[in-house]
Amino acid sequence: MSRLSSHPLMATIAVTALAPLATAQIITDPAVNYAVGPSPSGTALADFDGDGDVDIATTVENPDRAIFLFNDGNGAMSLGPTVLLPNSSSPGDLRAGDLDGDGDADVAIALKDSFAVLTLVNQGGGVFVTGTQSAVGENARGMDMADADNDGDLDLVVANRDSNTATVLLNNGAGSFSSITLSVGQEPRGAAFADMDGDGDADLAVTNHDDRTVSLFTNNGGSFTPSGTLSVGGNVRPEGIDAADLDGDGDEDLAVATNGNNGTINTISVFISAGGGASGPFTYMTAGQDTSSVCAADLNCDGLPDLIVGNSSSANISMLANLGGGVFGAPMLAAVGVNPERPDAADLDGDGDSDVVVAGRDSGSIAVIMNETCTVVPCFGDATGDEQVDVQDLVAVISAWGSKGPNAADINGDGVVDVSDLVAVVTNWGACL
C-alpha cells in the first residue's frame, strides 16, 4: 500500500470524494473605496449618463444630497454631479429605473424624516432635476421597485418603520404616484416585490423586526391582499430582504437577513415559495456580525442567484454561492467600509459577471468589489500557487489541517482547512499540468 493511500485522512476522502463541495468558489479583487461624504445610505446602480456602462448613485448627509459616480467602462469611478435634497430629510434607501418613460434611468429616494419618497428625474446624460415627492409613512426604508400593476411602468414600495405600515406607490407612467397603505407587523425594516405564486405579477413581502415575521401580500392587479406571515424563528429578528428564483422552479423565493442575541447570531433565512406560500426558514450562517441586508445576484455565472450579505458591525460582506435547488454554501467574506448598507450588484466592467457595490455608512465611502470568477480560470485545488494540483498541494492541506482564517490551503474559502479542501485536491489531481 502506498504512503498516500495509507494516510489516516484517506478514509474520509473515500466517503466524501463523490459528494459536492460545501461551497463554490467566488473570486473577487479587494474592495476599492471611493469617498463620498457622511453617512451614505445605500446605492442604486444604472447607466445614468447613457454611455453604456453602469454608474452608481448614493445619498449622503450634512447637507443632504444625492451623489453620482460615473463609470469609465472598466469599473473605475469618478465623481459626477451632486443634487441637493430637502434639508434635514435624512435620505435613506434608493432605487434606480426609468420612472417617467423617457428611456433613461431616474432615481427614487426614501426621505426618512420627511415621511416621503422623492424622485430625481434624469434629463439625459446624467443631469438630474428634482421630481415628485410622494407622502409615505414615518421613517421609510427598505425600498423596492417593480411593475406592480402590470401597466408597463415602474412602481415602488417602502417599509415605514415607525408607522408599522408599507406604502406601495403606483406610477401613472410619467413619474407621479398614487399610494396604497398596507398594515404590517411591528417595526418593518425591509420590503420586496416577489412573484411568489408564479402568476406573473409582483406580490409583496415585508419584514417585521419586532414580530420576528415576514408579512405576505398577494397581488391582484395592483391591489394587495394579506396572505399570511412567515416566522424567522424565536432567536433572530428580520431586517433586509430580497427576492429571486433561488431554486430555479419559476417562482420567486425570499432571502431575509436576520440577527439576534445582541448580534452574535447572524444568519440568512431562506424561504422557498410553493403555491403562493413558502417553506422554511432554511438557515445559513453568515460569519459576520449584525447581518442586516441581503442582495441576490449571480456571482459565478452558473445561472443561479447567489447571496451577498451586509454585516453592519464587522465591516464586511458575506457571499454565499447557490449550489442548486436553493441550497447555499459556506460564506466567503470580503472587507468593505464600516457599517455596510445594502449591497447591490451589476456588471461594472463589461466582462459578463456581477460586481458588488456597497455603501460604508460610517466610513463615508462606497466600496466597489470587482468579480473575477467568470474571467479568471483558477487551478482549483492548487494550494501552492504553482498552477498544478499534485502531492505538494496535498502536503500543504494536511500540514495546515484545522487552521482558521486566511490560508492558501483553504481552497474552498470557507475559513478553515478541512476535509472539503482535501477533497478539492484529490478530485482535481493532475489538473492544470
Side-chain angles (χ1 to χ4, degrees):
M1 182 177 294
S2 69
R3 295 180 62 184
L4 178 62
S5 61
S6 64
H7 194 281
L9 292 175
M10 297 311 293
T12 306
I13 296 174
V15 175
T16 59
L18 298 180
L21 292 177
T23 186
Q25 196 173 36
I26 296 172
I27 303 169
T28 61
D29 292 337
V32 176
N33 291 289
Y34 296 88
V36 291
S39 304
S41 60
T43 61
L45 309 182
D47 181 9
F48 294 118
D49 56 3
D51 65 352
D53 51 38
V54 177
D55 309 304
I56 302 171
T58 190
T59 61
V60 298
E61 301 179 359
N62 298 322
D64 294 340
R65 60 202 189 276
I67 292 179
F68 293 85
L69 299 174
F70 286 162
N71 191 345
D72 70 352
N74 296 310
M77 300 293 162
S78 59
L79 186 64
T82 295
V83 181
L84 289 175
L85 303 174
N87 287 333
S88 302
S89 58
S90 297
D93 206 3
L94 65 165
R95 289 289 189 273
D98 183 8
L99 296 173
D100 56 2
D102 65 353
D104 50 30
D106 310 301
V107 179
I109 303 170
L111 303 178
K112 293 181 288 186
D113 288 348
S114 296
F115 312 156
V117 169
L118 176 70
T119 62
L120 300 182
V121 180
N122 194 339
Q123 302 294 288
V127 176
F128 288 86
V129 297
T130 300
T132 61
Q133 185 166 310
S134 304
V136 296
E138 297 180 33
N139 198 351
R141 57 188 60 226
M143 183 183 294
D144 202 7
M145 177 184 288
D147 183 3
D149 52 5
N150 285 327
D151 64 351
D153 52 40
L154 291 172
D155 310 302
L156 302 167
V157 64
V158 291
N160 304 309
R161 179 173 175 175
D162 294 343
S163 298
N164 298 329
T165 61
T167 302
V168 177
L169 296 174
L170 297 177
N171 193 342
N172 70 356
S176 296
F177 300 87
S178 60
S179 66
I180 301 172
T181 300
L182 303 171
S183 294
V184 295
Q186 295 294 310
E187 200 179 310
R189 296 285 182 94
F193 288 120
D195 182 11
M196 298 185 67
D197 53 10
D199 64 353
D201 55 25
D203 307 308
L204 180 61
V206 181
T207 62
N208 305 307
H209 181 268
D210 286 2
D211 288 352
R212 306 179 192 267
T213 63
V214 180
S215 295
L216 303 180
F217 297 86
T218 298
N219 189 344
N220 302 289
S223 63
F224 292 85
T225 304
S227 56
T229 59
L230 304 172
S231 173
V232 298
N235 293 323
V236 294
R237 299 181 186 274
E239 299 210 22
I241 186 172
D242 202 4
D245 184 5
L246 301 178
D247 60 353
D249 66 351
D251 53 28
E252 290 190 301
D253 313 296
L254 302 176
V256 182
T258 47
N259 64 64
N261 194 27
N262 295 319
T264 61
I265 302 174
N266 298 282
T267 55
I268 288 295
S269 297
V270 172
F271 295 92
I272 301 298
S273 298
S279 58
F282 303 99
T283 302
Y284 300 89
M285 304 302 292
T286 66
Q289 294 179 343
D290 284 324
T291 295
S292 58
S293 55
V294 61
C295 169
D298 182 9
L299 296 177
N300 54 13
C301 300
D302 62 357
L304 302 173
D306 309 302
L307 298 179
I308 311 161
V309 181
N311 304 306
S312 61
S313 292
S314 50
N316 57 24
I317 60 170
S318 307
M319 294 174 284
L320 289 77
N322 191 333
L323 305 181
V327 176
F328 292 87
M332 297 169 238
L333 298 177
V336 293
V338 182
N339 193 0
E341 295 261 334
R342 196 183 60 77
D344 208 346
D347 184 4
L348 300 180
D349 55 1
D351 65 352
D353 53 27
S354 294
D355 307 298
V356 178
V357 178
V358 59
R361 186 168 182 82
D362 292 345
S363 55
S365 61
I366 302 296
V368 175
I369 299 176
M370 304 309 298
N371 187 358
E372 307 294 347
T373 307
C374 307
T375 53
V376 174
V377 180
C379 188
F380 195 66
D382 176 23
T384 60
D386 61 358
E387 293 301 314
Q388 57 186 9
V389 182
D390 55 18
V391 69
Q392 294 182 33
D393 304 298
L394 185 61
V395 170
V397 169
I398 293 171
S399 298
W401 193 262
S403 298
K404 297 182 179 180
N407 193 310
D410 178 20
I411 293 166
N412 66 353
D414 65 355
V416 61
V417 180
D418 57 14
V419 68
S420 296
D421 305 300
L422 201 58
V423 170
V425 172
V426 174
T427 55
N428 291 279
W429 196 266
C432 314
L433 292 173

